[in-house]
């Protein structure tokens, strides 16, 4: 993701301020997901596909597509009544929400994994005493 952030930084003056901030925040969120996935892969093919597509295809395509438009026409209304600037901001908002969803999914699974490990350890090593477990620790 660093190259996408670097591309945005190199073109900071070409991007609307809101879009520039959105790109950097989205990259930061996706970097956190990639780091967690690198440390301990979830093994979920759908998750992996969505993460890879967002990182390698969708986000770069949006930024490259916008930067391919001559600066003199980014404020012109298109056939759909929107400007390239408006399109860029909306598309980056959609990708930001996707990055947040991937981040939440990744960390929700991590929490589930931790709970499952705790359940295993309690069952394997804990001795139930009344309403709780006695692990022999004083």
């Amino acid at each position: 993701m660093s190259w996408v952030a670097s591309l945005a930084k190199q073109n900071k003056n070409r991007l609307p301020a809101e879009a520039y901030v959105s790109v950097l925040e989205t990259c930061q969120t996706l970097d956190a997901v990639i780091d967690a996935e690198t440390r301990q892969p979830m093994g979920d093919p759908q998750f992996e596909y969505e993460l890879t597509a967002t990182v390698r295809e969708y986000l770069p395509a949006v930024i490259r597509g916008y930067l391919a438009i001559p600066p003199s026409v980014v404020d012109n209304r298109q056939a759909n009544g929107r400007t390239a600037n408006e399109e860029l901001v909306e598309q980056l908002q959609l990708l930001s929400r996707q990055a947040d969803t991937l981040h939440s999914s990744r960390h929700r699974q991590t929490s589930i994994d931790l709970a499952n490990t705790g359940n295993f350890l309690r069952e394997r090593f804990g001795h139930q005493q009344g309403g709780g477990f006695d692990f022999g620790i004083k």
Side-chain angles (χ1 to χ4, degrees):
M1 288 310 322
S2 63
W3 70 270
V4 174
S6 179
L7 181 62
K9 289 175 184 175
Q10 290 170 3
N11 292 282
K12 181 180 182 178
N13 295 330
R14 292 248 351 252
L15 298 171
E18 182 180 354
Y20 177 72
V21 171
S22 181
V23 169
L24 296 183
E25 289 174 348
T26 299
C27 287
Q28 188 174 32
T29 301
L30 290 170
D31 276 337
V33 175
I34 291 166
D35 288 346
E37 191 65 11
T38 300
R39 281 191 311 276
Q40 185 177 2
M42 283 178 35
D44 179 346
Q46 182 65 34
F47 177 86
E48 291 172 14
Y49 169 79
E50 290 177 14
L51 177 60
T52 300
T54 302
V55 168
R56 294 189 180 165
E57 295 174 38
Y58 307 148
L59 185 57
V62 167
I63 296 169
R64 284 189 192 125
Y66 178 83
L67 292 173
I69 300 169
S72 60
V73 299
V74 294
D75 289 316
N76 294 350
R77 297 269 170 216
Q78 302 172 48
N80 65 3
R82 302 178 66 163
T83 68
N85 284 340
E86 292 168 342
E87 284 289 341
L88 175 66
V89 168
E90 179 189 22
Q91 291 174 30
L92 290 174
Q93 287 172 345
L94 293 168
L95 290 171
S96 177
R97 284 196 295 268
Q98 175 64 7
D100 290 342
T101 298
L102 290 167
H103 187 268
S104 295
S105 295
R106 180 66 180 95
H107 292 289
R108 182 173 37 255
Q109 185 60 47
T110 303
S111 294
I112 290 169
D113 292 345
L114 180 62
N116 288 338
T117 300
N119 290 339
F120 166 78
L121 292 173
R122 281 185 287 280
E123 185 176 306
R124 178 84 168 104
F125 301 111
H127 305 288
Q128 189 150 8
Q129 299 271 327
F133 286 91
D134 175 15
F135 291 100
I137 300 171
K138 299 199 190 272

